[in-house]
Amino acid sequence: MSIRIGILGYGNLGRGVECAIKHNPDMELVAVFTRRDPKDVTILTETAAVCRTEEAKDWKDKIDVLILCGGSATDLPVQTPEYASMFNVVDSFDTHARIPEHFANVDAAAKSAGKVGIISVGWDPGMFSLNRMYANAVLTEGCDYTFWGKGVSQGHSDAVRRIKGVKDAKQYTIPVESALESVRKGENPKLTTREKHTRECFVVLEEGADAARVEEEIKTMPNYFSDYDTTVHFISEEELKRDHSGIPHGGFVLRSGKTGWNNENSHLIEYSLKLDSNPEFTSCVIVAYARAAYRMAAEGQTGCRTVFDVAPAYLSAMSPEELRASML
Amino acid sequence: MSIRIGILGYGNLGRGVECAIKHNPDMELVAVFTRRDPKDVTILTETAAVCRTEEAKDWKDKIDVLILCGGSATDLPVQTPEYASMFNVVDSFDTHARIPEHFANVDAAAKSAGKVGIISVGWDPGMFSLNRMYANAVLTEGCDYTFWGKGVSQGHSDAVRRIKGVKDAKQYTIPVESALESVRKGENPKLTTREKHTRECFVVLEEGADAARVEEEIKTMPNYFSDYDTTVHFISEEELKRDHSGIPHGGFVLRSGKTGWNNENSHLIEYSLKLDSNPEFTSCVIVAYARAAYRMAAEGQTGCRTVFDVAPAYLSAMSPEELRASML
């Protein structure tokens, strides 16, 4: 019997989860819940229902794991605890500072309902967190580095689009190659924000907008751009569509550390991702953790979990015997 | 209270474990067990005892986890089940084909004694296995690649040393850069043994030995060298000692995969290690899993585990709250 999955929220992430389920034969998408009118939402999976969010509660016995595909700012802090009282859930909550609070809320709801909730799943937080943690547990003396990119930052693209005179824009975050190389050489550099990443913007102007003023506003924008070396390119709407409609991303997690009685030996652990589609890769991670949530709940576990609490074997469709024979 | 560790076998790995314990303040080395006469064994930790292997059974209540530092060929298949009937144990068993059998033996012994045994811990098997497994669980459609090196292969160095006329030798396994690049580009190449790695030997000849004959014997040696492009350098004993006395190693685990409704997007996951000291890094991984064995046993778990069965948080000296706040 398949693991029956529901999706709440059908944006880029929801569509990514739908695609990922197609690639996992032990899973089945049974329903997508949306705040829009279901008549206006067309999904790819012919066998799945499209329902209003309010109907989700009627699916309690028909869904094994509900995947929450809303945003971290306002959706997930409310939705994850709410739905963890009815379903095993997985979310991709990524507001790092609010994770302890979110964890506590989901844990309370899931425990009292006898459900499992796995939060903050994706690649950062998610696979990057795992790699930071494993590397720190192994190399206890060392320095950590995370670089993001090259990839599209949705938040920074939005910030540029809010500037007067900007019709559309895409922003790429780019790791500084020389900083990466210094880390790889074991130089343990102390890196400022500016030394780690550069930012590159592709901007379509409204007719008659003042390019010099827009460029200045971007480059001096506090938090988003003022601490970075930023390059601004003005391009046509056609060029933006043709060359910048993807949502690639990726990055690097490195730990450089020492071993030996007197720290005489150096080691480097490096993990990297190069992703054509940020939401689709995130979705693949989420779907693997949905399998884990299903299995942990079947064992009688309850409460909130993060990637740190889930034994790797729970993620795989293979049996423990197959894993030991083929992957160890 | 510290986690009390014992080491069985005091070679390169045993010494590495001793160094790693020094870097983990929640652990304490209490005893080293050796087949040699303890009078002839000098260890670095002043507070630990050096005992004969036969005395280990008297330490049952004084050691929380016994780390088995013997070899996979003959030591561990016997030792790990034997000591799992008295101690929580961790080993680095790396004969891939015999893992299922070893797992079964350790599982039976550990279960009947109420102990935890974690086997095949290190970097391959170990951290590389974890990365293969996570990457496969996330990207269900794709190709896997593992490259080793640049590093010293003990087995291949030994094989060269057994050739008549060879006084001493070191062998390096080197990944082929163009093959790595092809994988990174997502070309999913089918690679033969020869296309993945080259081998480089540094050989000190006995006086009067025939260099041409030794080189020919190396290059045509079945299993070890005949399937590879091998370079042989003849050097002096002093040069070997000066330039090749380290035990560096490392390698790469990559998975290249597709996502999207019609597999339209490509992704690359890459994990790599660059290690000055193979045994010291292996030891660091083992010591983190010794912490896990201690904690799992304290929870009442029993039986055999591999890295696939251990939730990452068990490895870290940090509390779950600290991990969520600092690593997620």
Side-chain angles (χ1 to χ4, degrees):
Chain A
M1 218 193 70
S2 304
I3 303 171
R4 299 165 302 174
I5 305 286
I7 292 173
L8 189 94
Y10 195 66
N12 282 335
L13 192 62
R15 274 190 297 275
V17 169
E18 182 180 24
C19 293
I21 292 168
K22 186 190 180 194
H23 290 90
N24 282 274
D26 61 337
M27 299 192 181
E28 181 194 354
L29 178 64
V30 295
V32 169
F33 301 97
T34 173
R35 280 186 287 229
R36 289 174 276 169
D37 187 331
K39 286 201 310 291
D40 301 336
V41 176
T42 309
I43 66 170
L44 299 163
T45 309
E46 290 175 7
T47 53
V50 181
C51 309
R52 286 176 201 280
T53 304
E54 301 76 47
E55 298 172 60
K57 62 183 184 310
D58 306 327
W59 288 76
K60 273 197 268 190
D61 302 324
K62 289 177 269 184
I63 284 175
D64 296 310
V65 184
L66 183 65
I67 297 178
L68 304 172
C69 298
S72 293
T74 56
D75 296 333
L76 298 176
V78 176
Q79 287 177 349
T80 314
E82 179 184 345
Y83 290 97
S85 70
M86 294 180 267
F87 298 95
N88 301 307
V89 295
V90 180
D91 81 15
S92 60
F93 185 75
D94 67 359
T95 312
H96 288 259
R98 294 187 63 190
I99 286 174
E101 173 193 347
H102 189 57
F103 184 93
N105 292 340
V106 175
D107 195 49
K111 271 192 182 136
S112 73
K115 300 292 182 186
V116 168
I118 309 183
I119 63 162
S120 302
V121 175
W123 59 274
D124 197 3
M127 301 313 292
F128 272 20
S129 320
L130 279 175
N131 276 280
R132 282 189 286 262
M133 206 232 85
Y134 275 117
N136 271 268
V138 169
L139 290 178
T140 54
E141 321 242 329
C143 297
D144 290 300
Y145 297 89
T146 301
F147 293 85
W148 293 275
K150 180 181 177 175
V152 172
S153 164
Q154 224 55 63
H156 287 78
S157 300
D158 290 345
V160 174
R161 281 192 284 261
R162 282 192 297 266
I163 292 174
K164 198 169 163 256
V166 172
K167 190 170 184 187
D168 203 351
K170 272 281 173 92
Q171 192 272 177
Y172 294 89
T173 304
I174 305 167
V176 174
E177 194 58 40
S178 59
L180 254 171
E181 280 313 313
S182 169
V183 172
R184 287 185 182 130
K185 279 189 211 142
E187 295 172 349
N188 293 345
K190 296 235 180 297
L191 298 166
T192 62
T193 300
R194 193 178 299 275
E195 288 165 339
K196 287 185 72 185
H197 298 93
T198 56
R199 298 197 176 278
E200 190 170 21
C201 303
F202 293 86
V203 178
V204 180
L205 291 174
E206 305 271 13
E207 218 172 289
D210 176 353
R213 196 253 316 150
V214 167
E215 180 164 349
E216 180 65 15
E217 274 197 51
I218 293 172
K219 290 185 170 177
T220 57
M221 195 187 294
N223 303 317
Y224 286 88
F225 292 100
S226 62
D227 294 338
Y228 298 86
D229 290 336
T230 302
T231 314
V232 179
H233 308 275
F234 294 102
I235 61 175
S236 70
E237 201 161 6
E238 293 67 40
E239 288 170 308
L240 190 79
K241 199 169 174 179
R242 186 190 67 206
D243 302 333
H244 304 283
S245 57
I247 322 176
H249 220 314
F252 304 81
V253 173
L254 304 105
R255 184 163 173 86
S256 159
K258 299 282 188 184
T259 67
W261 195 253
N262 294 308
N263 279 350
E264 57 272 33
N265 287 310
S266 298
H267 305 272
L268 183 76
I269 305 174
E270 176 169 348
Y271 178 80
S272 69
L273 295 173
K274 224 182 297 167
L275 313 175
D276 269 2
S277 166
N278 182 352
E280 285 183 8
F281 186 82
T282 301
S283 299
C284 289
V285 181
I286 290 175
V287 163
Y289 278 92
R291 181 181 291 116
Y294 171 76
R295 290 175 173 174
M296 293 165 90
E299 288 178 4
Q301 297 192 40
T302 66
C304 191
R305 301 286 187 277
T306 73
V307 293
F308 299 147
D309 308 309
V310 179
Y314 282 109
L315 306 181
S316 173
M318 290 188 194
S319 71
E321 291 75 16
E322 288 173 309
L323 285 177
R324 285 194 293 271
S326 67
M327 298 271 158
L328 199 57
Chain B
M1 219 191 69
S2 304
I3 303 172
R4 299 165 303 174
I5 306 286
I7 292 173
L8 189 93
Y10 195 67
N12 282 336
L13 192 61
R15 274 191 297 276
V17 169
E18 181 179 26
C19 292
I21 292 168
K22 187 191 180 193
H23 290 91
N24 282 274
D26 61 335
M27 299 193 181
E28 180 194 356
L29 178 64
V30 295
V32 169
F33 302 98
T34 173
R35 280 187 288 228
R36 290 174 275 169
D37 187 332
K39 285 200 310 293
D40 300 335
V41 176
T42 309
I43 66 170
L44 299 163
T45 309
E46 290 176 7
T47 52
V50 181
C51 308
R52 286 176 201 281
T53 304
E54 301 77 46
E55 298 173 61
K57 61 183 184 307
D58 306 327
W59 287 76
K60 274 197 266 190
D61 302 325
K62 290 178 269 184
I63 285 174
D64 296 310
V65 184
L66 183 66
I67 297 177
L68 304 172
C69 298
S72 293
T74 55
D75 296 333
L76 298 176
V78 177
Q79 288 176 348
T80 313
E82 179 183 347
Y83 290 97
S85 69
M86 295 181 268
F87 298 94
N88 301 307
V89 296
V90 181
D91 80 15
S92 60
F93 185 76
D94 66 359
T95 312
H96 287 259
R98 295 186 63 191
I99 286 174
E101 173 194 347
H102 189 56
F103 184 93
N105 293 340
V106 176
D107 195 48
K111 271 192 180 135
S112 73
K115 300 292 181 188
V116 169
I118 309 183
I119 63 162
S120 301
V121 175
W123 60 274
D124 196 3
M127 301 312 293
F128 272 20
S129 321
L130 279 175
N131 276 281
R132 283 189 285 263
M133 206 231 87
Y134 275 118
N136 272 269
V138 169
L139 290 178
T140 54
E141 319 243 330
C143 297
D144 290 300
Y145 298 90
T146 300
F147 292 86
W148 295 274
K150 181 179 177 178
V152 172
S153 164
Q154 223 58 62
H156 287 77
S157 299
D158 290 345
V160 175
R161 279 192 286 261
R162 281 192 297 265
I163 293 174
K164 197 167 164 258
V166 172
K167 190 170 183 189
D168 203 351
K170 272 280 172 91
Q171 193 272 176
Y172 294 88
T173 304
I174 304 168
V176 174
E177 193 59 40
S178 58
L180 255 171
E181 280 313 312
S182 170
V183 173
R184 287 185 182 130
K185 278 189 210 141
E187 295 171 349
N188 293 344
K190 294 237 181 295
L191 298 166
T192 63
T193 299
R194 193 178 299 276
E195 287 165 339
K196 287 185 74 184
H197 298 94
T198 56
R199 298 196 176 279
E200 190 170 20
C201 304
F202 293 87
V203 177
V204 180
L205 291 174
E206 305 271 14
E207 220 172 287
D210 176 352
R213 196 254 315 149
V214 168
E215 179 163 347
E216 181 65 13
E217 273 198 51
I218 294 173
K219 290 184 171 179
T220 57
M221 195 187 295
N223 302 318
Y224 285 88
F225 292 100
S226 62
D227 294 337
Y228 298 85
D229 291 335
T230 302
T231 315
V232 179
H233 308 276
F234 294 102
I235 61 175
S236 70
E237 201 161 7
E238 294 66 42
E239 288 170 309
L240 189 78
K241 200 170 173 176
R242 186 190 68 207
D243 302 333
H244 304 284
S245 58
I247 321 175
H249 220 313
F252 304 81
V253 173
L254 303 104
R255 185 165 173 83
S256 160
K258 298 281 187 185
T259 67
W261 194 252
N262 294 308
N263 279 350
E264 57 270 34
N265 288 310
S266 298
H267 305 271
L268 182 76
I269 304 175
E270 177 170 348
Y271 178 78
S272 69
L273 295 174
K274 224 181 298 166
L275 313 175
D276 270 1
S277 165
N278 182 352
E280 287 183 7
F281 186 81
T282 301
S283 299
C284 289
V285 181
I286 290 175
V287 163
Y289 278 91
R291 182 181 291 116
Y294 171 77
R295 291 175 173 173
M296 293 165 90
E299 288 178 5
Q301 297 192 41
T302 67
C304 191
R305 301 286 187 277
T306 74
V307 294
F308 299 147
D309 309 308
V310 180
Y314 283 109
L315 307 181
S316 173
M318 290 188 194
S319 70
E321 292 75 16
E322 288 172 307
L323 285 178
R324 287 194 292 271
S326 67
M327 299 272 158
L328 200 58

